[in-house]
């Protein structure tokens, strides 16, 4: 992630870094060091280093414990962690998100199901095609909350990287992650970037023996050494590379390397304000397909480090020309704007002439400017005010400068809101800041899109995100629309979406820049070093727009209002957009016999403002689980129970639809499989201590993989519904207790019903009698006979198969039995 090749360049140039060493004894005598943690980088890096099996759906209990272990180790050496997670996606990053989903989930899933069962159990195959289990995020939040006041959890306004750097600047601390953007982003007070993969832990014994400082690189970084013992690492190992600390020592030392934007700019001999432009020229997360441009800028055999050096040298030379300090070159054209500077830089990078005319050149300049703007961190007049992370609704900005609030207000103007809608919006923002309202729900409110989590599933069948998740998400969309209001899309009578000409002219520039900038145009001119690029991009956009006379809007009488959400889901082997109409909440309530006026109020309030009992009733009825036994369950069992009931009930409905389908009948769960799922959790009140995975891990079978995908997709959708109804305390996510390995192991063995808490199974099957598929004997081999077996009377002669006899003999035997 980040700037293409920059992480490699930094590793090859360790002299750019400075060492940072913390220890357990310093933490007692010195102030804590603020550390802003890129939450998603942390999840990916920790799961990758842990080598936990992913193919079964995740070992979330072990992952939960690892999160706590790492964070406590950081605290023990003097760090004060602040975890920052990405908010809703920016429009400018949609193409990158689609590409990443295809490459990291859909393609590995396709390869998995196209590989033989024996080959795909190879550890190397699984490691090279790993997919992050979708419940890792929920398990991480649960683990961080268990640490109470020791850790801060923050959800960014949109993109997490600028938010993290701005927060680090306010705290005068560091940022750690796996994203080279942190060496380009900059804010006043920002101490620098610490790569997670370059952390090294050492024990007190190794420091006392002088081992901790014997092997260092040029920057003073302590190099991890492999143990001399053969086979497993011995207990005398003194250094541990990565973020996972040793679990055998309480007195730890942590060695880090720090990279700063000032150091990188000084190395390239360019202004620090040009680092974002350098990233845009090389390629970043907002420039998806760089291959056509790279062919114009760089020779094919150049390494990524050589490309970075070439782009930096081009910026250095153009700066010299622009400032008149170059003794050799003078600008052929006067440089009067930032666009002229970008254009001249692109001209100096070109290694071959363009063949499509000036339009291609202007397009490259425009894309470069747009990619550069993503790094802007505007300054605010309230920076010197007292900083308090607990301030709501935004921990970093005043409400009138908060990008998230501004984005919500642009879609739902506050002057048109009712008092009830304002209350719902305030509740949602408060829950969002505490991690109880997912960024996925904010995607629906801000951009009208939904990005359901994908995991390993059969690419030849309908995705579970649609078959099982979409009916639940339709409830979510209806609740959000009723509580706050979703964006309306104007369509003609054929359902084609239309756009107003005036609205285009007024908002086009904002849509291109998205929610990066919060200040007005006047403010940006003085506070934002990238402000000239903002105006330049507006000029490009206005200049490229056809004159108003060329628009032919459909008359108002032919227009109609339509609300829909664009879902980004898998279709076959592609990640595509599918519009989903937003149903009215009244129609859904009526279909499920829910009386919205049950409190006999004169005024009708949104469901979000009703009491918890009413909201829980809506939740359970929407999922077909409003039974006495389900309502009597403890909170920690509730989500697992309603998820299982939804899968069983929904698959039964699909199997009983008008067009009978053998494939849909095969989708149905058996009671044995349902018990295996419930037994895969380490329930706190169960008769056993936990769900430890057996030393023998079963090979991942296609059906077991598909059952896991079904339950994970349902989990995600039901959590969204609970958050939309503000029920996260009543319906907590039990992800941190789930073991995918235990689930798969139990599916091929007898389920351990003693591990299922009392009353949970009865609640799961209450009212679902007959919804389960019949059990299969011997994995579908119940009709296979042994070689010496004989047929029962009245059923004809035994047929032993074609092996050892010809087809004619087989047919003759069948004819004799008729």
């Amino acid at each position: 992630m980040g700037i293409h090749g920059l992480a490699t360049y930094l590793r090859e140039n360790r002299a750019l870094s400075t060492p940072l060493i913390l220890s357990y004894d310093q933490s007692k005598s010195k102030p804590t060091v603020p550390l802003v943690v890129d939450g998603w980088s942390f999840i990916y890096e920790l799961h990758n280093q842990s080598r936990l099996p992913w193919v079964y759906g995740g070992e979330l209990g072990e992952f939960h414990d690892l999160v706590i272990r790492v964070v406590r180790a950081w605290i023990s050496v003097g760090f004060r962690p602040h975890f920052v997670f990405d908010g809703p996606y920016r429009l400018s990053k949609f193409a990158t998100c689609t590409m990443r989903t295809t490459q990291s989930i859909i393609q590995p899933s396709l390869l998995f199901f196209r590989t033989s069962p024996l080959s795909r159990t190879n550890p190397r195959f699984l490691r090279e095609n790993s997919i992050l289990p979708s419940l890792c995020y929920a398990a991480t939040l649960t683990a961080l909350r268990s640490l109470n006041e020791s850790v801060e959890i923050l959800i960014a306004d949109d993109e997490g990287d600028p938010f993290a750097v701005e927060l680090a600047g306010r705290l005068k601390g560091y940022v750690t992650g796996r994203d080279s953007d942190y060496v380009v982003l900059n804010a006043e007070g920002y101490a620098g970037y610490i790569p997670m993969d370059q952390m090294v832990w050492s024990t007190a014994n190794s420091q006392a023996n002088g081992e901790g400082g014997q092997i260092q690189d040029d920057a003073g970084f302590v190099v991890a050494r492999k143990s001399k013992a053969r086979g497993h690492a011995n207990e005398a190992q003194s250094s541990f590379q990565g973020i996972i600390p040793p679990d055998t020592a309480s007195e730890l030392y942590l060695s880090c390397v720090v990279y700063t934007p000032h150091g990188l700019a000084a190395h390239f001999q360019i202004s620090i304000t040009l680092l974002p432009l350098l990233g845009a020229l090389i390629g970043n997360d907002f420039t998806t397909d760089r291959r056509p441009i790279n062919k114009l800028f760089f020779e094919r055999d150049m390494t990524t480090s050589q490309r970075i050096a070439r782009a930096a040298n081009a910026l250095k030379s153009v700066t010299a020309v622009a400032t008149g300090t170059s003794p050799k070159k003078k600008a052929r054209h006067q440089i009067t704007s930032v666009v002229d500077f970008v254009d001249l830089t692109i001209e100096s990078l070109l290694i071959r002439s363009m063949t499509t005319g000036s339009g291609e050149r202007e397009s490259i300049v425009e894309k470069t400017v747009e990619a550069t703007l993503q790094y802007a961190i505007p300054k605010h007049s309230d920076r010197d005010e007292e900083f308090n992370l607990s301030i709501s609704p935004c921990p970093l900005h005043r409400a009138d400068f908060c990008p998230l609030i501004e984005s919500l207000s642009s879609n739902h103007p506050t002057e048109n809101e009712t008092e009830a809608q304002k209350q719902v919006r305030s509740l949602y923002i408060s829950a969002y800041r505490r991690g109880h309202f997912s960024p996925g729900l904010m995607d629906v409110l801000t951009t009208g899109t939904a990005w359901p989590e994908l995991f390993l599933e059969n690419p030849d069948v309908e995705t579970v995100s649609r078959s099982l998740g979409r009916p639940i998400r339709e409830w979510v969309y209806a609740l959000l629309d009723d509580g706050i209001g979703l964006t309306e899309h104007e369509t003609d009578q054929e359902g084609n979406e239309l756009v107003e000409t005036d609205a285009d002219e007024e908002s086009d520039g904002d849509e291109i820049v998205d929610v990066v900038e919060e200040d007005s145009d006047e403010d940006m001119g003085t506070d934002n070093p990238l402000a000239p690029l903002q105006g330049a991009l507006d000029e490009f956009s206005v200049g490229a727009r056809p004159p108003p006379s060329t628009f032919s809007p459909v008359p108002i009488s032919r227009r109609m209002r339509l609300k829909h959400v664009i879902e980004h889901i898998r279709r076959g082997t592609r990640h595509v957009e599918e519009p989903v109409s937003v149903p009215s909440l009244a129609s859904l309530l009526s279909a499920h016999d829910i009386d919205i006026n049950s409190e006999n109020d004169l005024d009708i309030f949104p469901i979000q403002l009703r009491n918890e009992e009413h909201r829980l009733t809506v939740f359970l009825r929407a999922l077909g689980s409003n039974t006495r036994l389900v309502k009597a369950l403890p909170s920690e069992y509730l989500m697992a129970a309603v998820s299982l009931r939804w899968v069983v009930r929904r698959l039964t409905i699909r199997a009983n639809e008008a067009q009978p389908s053998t494939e849909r009948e095969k989708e149905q769960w058996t009671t044995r499989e349902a018990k295996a799922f419930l037994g895969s959790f380490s329930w706190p009140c169960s008769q056993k201590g936990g769900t430890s995975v057996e030393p023998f891990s079963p090979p991942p079978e296609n059906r077991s993989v598909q059952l896991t995908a079904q339950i994970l997709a349902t989990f995600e959708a039901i959590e969204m519904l609970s958050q939309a109804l503000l029920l996260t305390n009543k319906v907590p996510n039990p992800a941190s207790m789930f073991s995918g390995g235990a689930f798969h192991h139990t599916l091929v063995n007898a389920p351990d019903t003693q591990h299922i808490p009392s009353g949970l199974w009865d609640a799961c099957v209450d009212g679902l009698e007959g919804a389960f598929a019949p059990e299969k004997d011997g994995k579908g081999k119940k009709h296979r006979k042994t070689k010496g077996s004989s047929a029962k009377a009245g059923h004809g002669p035994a047929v032993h198969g074609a092996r050892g006899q010809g087809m004619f003999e087989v047919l003759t035997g069948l004819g004799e039995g008729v």
Side-chain angles (χ1 to χ4, degrees):
M1 296 184 292
I3 298 173
H4 301 173
L6 184 55
T8 301
Y9 186 89
L10 295 176
R11 283 194 297 268
E12 294 174 354
N13 296 269
R14 282 285 183 87
L16 294 174
S17 65
T18 57
L20 174 67
I21 300 178
L22 299 96
S23 64
Y24 73 99
D25 52 350
Q26 293 177 350
S27 65
K28 300 176 182 178
S29 58
K30 295 184 179 180
T32 57
V33 179
L35 180 69
V36 179
V37 184
D38 182 330
W40 277 107
S41 290
F42 175 80
I43 291 174
Y44 276 98
E45 184 69 12
L46 182 60
H47 197 272
N48 180 54
Q49 290 187 16
S50 68
R51 297 296 179 93
L52 291 172
W54 64 269
V55 71
Y56 305 119
E59 300 306 312
L60 282 311
E62 294 183 53
F63 187 78
H64 169 275
D65 295 341
L66 273 177
V67 172
I68 295 177
R69 176 175 153 193
V70 171
V71 175
R72 282 178 173 168
W74 279 344
I75 295 173
S76 70
V77 296
F79 274 136
R80 167 73 173 172
H82 298 73
F83 279 79
V84 172
F85 294 92
D86 289 326
Y89 292 135
R90 293 178 178 178
L91 290 171
S92 56
K93 206 170 182 178
F94 279 11
T96 299
C97 295
T98 297
M99 180 187 66
R100 286 180 177 172
T101 301
T102 301
Q103 294 177 350
S104 62
I105 300 179
I106 296 178
Q107 290 180 358
S109 296
L110 178 64
L111 184 59
F112 179 89
F113 278 90
R114 297 294 185 266
T115 304
S116 67
L118 179 61
S119 298
R120 69 190 188 190
T121 59
N122 184 283
R124 180 178 178 180
F125 175 87
L126 294 175
R127 185 169 58 253
E128 294 177 349
N129 298 280
S130 63
I131 302 174
L132 183 73
S134 56
L135 292 180
C136 283
Y137 176 67
T140 301
L141 289 181
T142 301
L144 295 178
R145 292 190 185 108
S146 68
L147 296 171
N148 300 322
E149 302 298 327
S150 302
V151 176
E152 296 284 351
I153 303 174
L154 300 100
I155 314 297
D157 299 317
D158 45 41
E159 182 74 10
D161 299 355
F163 188 95
V165 171
E166 186 174 3
L167 175 62
R170 294 289 190 97
L171 297 171
K172 295 182 172 20
Y174 301 90
V175 171
T176 184
R178 288 295 306 274
D179 196 327
S180 55
D181 282 339
Y182 292 121
V183 195
V184 171
L185 290 160
N186 191 33
E188 183 182 348
Y190 176 40
Y193 164 57
I194 300 175
M196 286 182 178
D197 60 333
Q198 296 183 33
M199 289 183 175
V200 172
W201 293 95
S202 56
T203 62
N205 292 334
S206 64
Q207 294 290 330
N209 296 330
E211 298 175 6
Q214 288 181 353
I215 302 179
Q216 298 181 350
D217 60 16
D218 296 337
F221 181 78
V222 181
V223 179
R225 297 188 304 176
K226 295 183 178 179
S227 171
K228 295 181 180 180
R230 295 181 179 180
H232 299 286
N234 63 10
E235 295 180 357
Q237 183 179 356
S238 58
S239 299
F240 301 81
Q241 182 95 28
I243 61 175
I244 301 179
D247 56 357
T248 57
S250 58
E251 299 177 351
L252 296 173
Y253 291 79
L254 178 61
S255 300
C256 309
V257 292
V258 181
Y259 299 92
T260 64
H262 292 278
L264 185 63
H267 172 74
F268 289 135
Q269 297 181 8
I270 61 176
S271 170
I272 193 172
T273 58
L274 291 179
L275 288 179
L277 180 55
L278 174 65
L281 291 171
I282 299 168
N284 55 24
D285 292 344
F286 303 94
T287 54
T288 52
D289 190 2
R290 290 285 302 181
R291 287 173 294 180
I293 299 179
N294 287 340
K295 291 179 180 179
L296 299 173
F297 288 174
F298 311 109
E299 297 291 350
R300 181 177 298 179
D301 58 348
M302 293 182 69
T303 64
T304 54
S305 295
Q306 291 172 337
R307 293 180 179 185
I308 292 174
R310 171 174 164 76
N313 288 332
L315 284 173
K316 177 182 175 182
S317 62
V318 172
T319 302
V321 171
T323 57
T325 58
S326 175
K328 298 181 180 180
K329 295 183 180 180
K330 292 185 179 180
R332 285 180 289 180
H333 304 285
Q334 186 177 4
I335 300 178
T336 59
S337 67
V338 177
V339 172
D340 292 337
F341 184 89
V342 175
D343 185 67
L344 184 58
T345 304
I346 290 175
E347 180 182 353
S348 66
L349 279 173
L350 290 175
I351 59 175
R352 53 180 58 88
S353 60
M354 296 185 176
T355 59
T356 58
S358 61
E360 182 181 4
R361 176 81 162 265
E362 292 181 358
S363 176
I364 294 177
V365 173
E366 182 178 350
K367 291 178 180 178
T368 302
V369 171
E370 184 176 352
T372 304
L373 284 172
Q374 308 304 322
Y375 293 102
I377 303 178
K379 298 179 181 179
H380 301 286
S381 59
D382 62 336
R383 178 179 175 86
D384 296 330
E385 296 179 3
E386 185 178 356
F387 178 55
N388 188 349
L389 285 176
S390 63
I391 294 178
S392 184
C394 184
L396 291 182
H397 320 110
R398 294 204 317 259
D400 52 343
F401 285 115
C402 177
L404 177 67
I405 298 177
E406 181 181 351
S407 180
L408 289 173
S409 300
S410 63
N411 292 330
H412 322 287
T414 54
E415 62 270 14
N416 298 333
E417 285 183 328
T418 65
E419 286 300 321
Q421 288 177 321
K422 291 179 180 179
Q423 292 182 50
V424 173
R425 186 174 70 147
S426 177
L427 289 173
Y428 277 165
I429 291 177
S430 177
Y432 173 79
R433 295 301 185 188
R434 293 179 286 111
H436 293 297
F437 190 85
S438 72
L441 290 173
M442 277 298 175
D443 280 319
V444 179
L445 292 174
T446 56
T447 62
T449 61
W451 302 76
E453 291 285 343
L454 302 180
F455 189 62
L456 181 65
E457 63 173 333
N458 189 349
D460 299 323
V461 300
E462 181 183 13
T463 177
V464 292
S465 296
R466 183 195 293 115
S467 60
L468 293 173
R470 179 171 292 176
I472 302 175
R473 289 194 298 273
E474 288 177 346
W475 269 95
V476 174
Y477 305 151
L479 285 165
L480 296 180
D481 186 38
D482 182 74
I484 295 181
L486 300 181
T487 304
E488 292 182 344
H489 303 269
E490 288 192 352
T491 63
D492 58 19
Q493 292 179 345
E494 287 75 25
N496 300 317
E497 186 174 344
L498 303 174
V499 182
E500 291 278 1
T501 303
D502 294 339
D504 267 352
E505 294 176 357
E506 294 175 359
S507 63
D508 193 38
D510 291 338
E511 290 175 355
I512 292 177
V513 180
D514 199 15
V515 292
V516 181
E517 307 295 342
E518 294 88 355
D519 295 340
S520 65
D521 293 337
E522 296 179 359
D523 292 337
M524 289 192 306
T526 57
D527 294 332
N528 188 351
L530 299 180
L533 294 179
Q534 165 79 47
L537 187 58
D538 290 341
E539 292 176 6
F540 267 108
S541 305
V542 174
R545 184 180 298 116
S549 59
T550 62
F551 286 87
S552 301
V554 178
I556 297 296
S557 59
R558 292 183 56 198
R559 298 180 184 178
M560 56 184 176
R561 295 289 182 177
L562 175 67
K563 290 187 178 181
H564 62 256
V565 174
I566 303 298
E567 291 191 345
H568 295 253
I569 64 173
R570 179 186 66 82
R571 184 192 298 160
T573 57
R574 296 183 299 122
H575 198 234
V576 300
E577 299 179 355
E578 287 188 0
V580 178
S581 298
V582 178
S584 69
L585 183 60
S587 63
L588 292 178
L589 293 172
S590 176
H592 290 77
D593 297 326
I594 303 175
D595 184 9
I596 196 171
N597 296 317
S598 59
E599 296 181 7
N600 298 319
D601 292 332
L602 295 177
D603 298 325
I604 300 177
F605 292 101
I607 292 178
Q608 293 88 335
L609 302 182
R610 303 296 180 103
N611 59 49
E612 184 181 87
E613 182 180 358
H614 185 91
R615 286 179 280 126
L616 182 61
T617 299
V618 173
F619 174 81
L620 294 176
R621 288 203 175 186
L623 299 174
S625 295
N626 189 40
T627 70
R628 178 181 59 83
L629 296 180
V630 172
K631 289 190 290 186
L633 288 174
S635 297
E636 58 266 27
Y637 303 156
L638 200 52
M639 184 173 288
V642 296
S643 297
L644 177 60
R645 288 176 58 89
W646 174 264
V647 171
V648 172
R649 179 172 169 268
R650 182 67 186 172
L651 294 181
T652 300
I653 293 174
R654 285 168 54 85
N656 295 333
E657 286 178 346
Q659 296 293 335
S661 171
T662 304
E663 293 299 323
R664 290 195 173 186
E665 291 179 359
K666 292 180 180 179
E667 289 180 343
Q668 290 182 271
W669 285 42
T670 65
T671 55
R672 184 173 174 276
E673 292 167 340
K675 290 180 179 178
F677 167 69
L678 295 179
S680 62
F681 290 84
S682 54
W683 300 114
C685 300
S686 60
Q687 298 180 12
K688 290 177 61 177
T691 58
S692 58
V693 182
E694 298 292 335
F696 168 73
S697 298
E701 298 184 356
N702 288 358
R703 178 165 179 81
S704 300
V705 168
Q706 197 63 16
L707 295 179
T708 304
Q710 291 171 356
I711 204 67
L712 293 182
T714 303
F715 252 59
E716 184 209 10
I718 288 180
E719 183 178 39
M720 291 180 68
L721 179 60
S722 70
Q723 291 177 346
L725 287 168
L726 302 172
L727 286 171
T728 51
N729 291 330
K730 182 63 178 177
V731 191
N733 192 325
S736 60
M737 296 184 285
F738 177 70
S739 168
F743 182 35
H744 281 243
H745 181 81
T746 311
L747 285 173
V748 297
N749 296 279
D752 185 3
T753 57
Q754 292 183 351
H755 183 50
I756 301 176
S758 175
L760 180 56
W761 173 250
D762 292 337
C764 289
V765 299
D766 186 21
L768 294 180
E769 294 79 6
F772 292 93
E775 300 289 344
K776 296 179 181 180
D777 297 330
K779 302 179 184 178
K781 303 177 182 178
K782 57 182 178 182
H783 297 299
R784 182 173 296 179
K785 301 179 185 299
T786 60
K787 185 174 180 180
S789 61
S790 59
K792 294 182 180 180
H795 290 272
V799 180
H800 302 291
R803 181 177 296 181
Q805 52 181 307
M807 184 62 66
F808 181 81
E809 286 80 7
V810 175
L811 295 175
T812 302
L814 289 174
E816 293 175 352
V818 176

